[in-house]
Amino acid sequence: MNPTKPSPMDPLVDPRLETYALEHSSAEAPHLVALAAETFEETAVPQMMVGPLEGGLLALLVALVKPRLVLEIGAFTGYSALSMAAELPAQGRIITCELDERHAEIARRHIAASPYASSIEVRIGPAAETIAGLEGPFDFVFIDADKAGYIDYYEAVLPKLSPGGVIAVDNVCWSGKVIHPDGHPDTAAILAFNDHVRDDHRVEKVMLTVRDGVTLIRHRRPA
């Protein structure tokens, strides 16, 4: 998520195809519909919200990984955290980091009104400081914050990732600007991050063209 994210008027996926995918995926829960509505009404950049298709992907990944501890870097208004919380195992919890107090207030209010209030903790402040104060291990990490910080966040969480853990990173296709660079610092940051992960032999990775692109990363299995 980032206020400088390219406009949704330049979509990576044909909107008709994305609508078709939504029509053939599980429906949004009512509390997510309410949160999305407020996000579009009350924030200047509602496209930063992951939305139902990516939220559903995150929920399914959490269901498969069965994490005891999820770390989210970039809460925005809480849609992604609430999506993941629905599939947490018993005793599972989410720590989500947000720098913007207004966005965090919306997230906290909707989390408190949801069935998952006891499972999600919102921490306000620089994510790097929050990560440094957590021992881990993290079983699932979702990175969706300032693009300039992506490599630092990745390097901070990787040593604390559990052996079977997964990192999911959002916006890695950056509305197609990774193949049509525009000179913007955020585009350069995404390009640098993508190359950094590509060249990292410690991990296995796959980049998906879901919405604005999601890379899934895990520790490389021993030979």
Side-chain angles (χ1 to χ4, degrees):
M1 300 174 293
N2 194 300
T4 59
K5 180 175 178 180
S7 167
M9 296 302 290
D10 184 22
L12 186 67
V13 178
D14 186 323
R16 296 169 298 176
L17 185 58
E18 185 152 327
T19 297
Y20 183 84
L22 284 167
E23 290 171 348
H24 290 79
S25 300
S26 297
E28 288 180 283
H31 61 272
L32 292 176
V33 174
L35 173 54
E38 180 170 348
T39 300
F40 274 87
E41 290 171 2
E42 300 296 335
T43 67
V45 281
Q47 68 269 23
M48 295 196 323
M49 186 180 70
V50 299
L53 196 60
E54 189 176 353
L57 173 63
L58 291 171
L60 184 57
L61 289 169
V62 166
L64 293 171
V65 175
K66 298 179 173 58
R68 288 169 295 179
L69 179 59
V70 174
L71 175 66
E72 178 179 50
I73 303 172
F76 191 38
T77 57
Y79 192 102
S80 47
L82 281 169
S83 296
M84 293 187 286
E87 296 296 339
L88 283 174
Q91 310 306 315
R93 63 193 182 101
I94 296 171
I95 297 174
T96 183
C97 308
E98 178 54 47
L99 191 61
D100 187 294
E101 293 190 4
R102 170 57 178 155
H103 295 160
E105 185 278 324
I106 296 173
R108 281 176 164 164
R109 180 158 37 80
H110 281 268
I111 289 167
S114 79
Y116 312 110
S118 63
S119 302
I120 306 172
E121 177 186 355
V122 180
R123 296 199 182 185
I124 301 176
E129 295 179 7
T130 299
I131 297 167
L134 297 172
E135 293 184 4
F138 309 127
D139 303 303
F140 190 82
V141 178
F142 182 47
I143 301 175
D144 186 16
D146 60 292
K147 308 315 166 192
Y150 266 28
I151 291 177
D152 289 340
Y153 297 144
Y154 170 74
E155 289 295 339
V157 300
L158 188 61
K160 299 182 179 184
L161 189 67
S162 66
V166 173
I167 302 171
V169 186
D170 199 18
N171 304 126
V172 293
C173 292
W174 204 234
S175 292
K177 290 180 171 55
V178 289
I179 56 173
H180 300 291
D182 58 358
H184 194 284
D186 285 339
T187 304
I190 290 292
L191 288 167
F193 172 78
N194 289 343
D195 288 351
H196 184 80
V197 174
R198 178 198 62 195
D199 297 336
D200 188 349
H201 299 295
R202 298 171 296 175
V203 298
E204 297 172 337
K205 72 287 290 187
V206 59
M207 183 181 290
L208 308 176
T209 54
V210 175
R211 204 162 182 259
D212 198 28
V214 179
T215 294
L216 304 180
I217 304 163
R218 67 175 184 176
H219 288 296
R220 185 174 293 279
R221 290 179 175 177

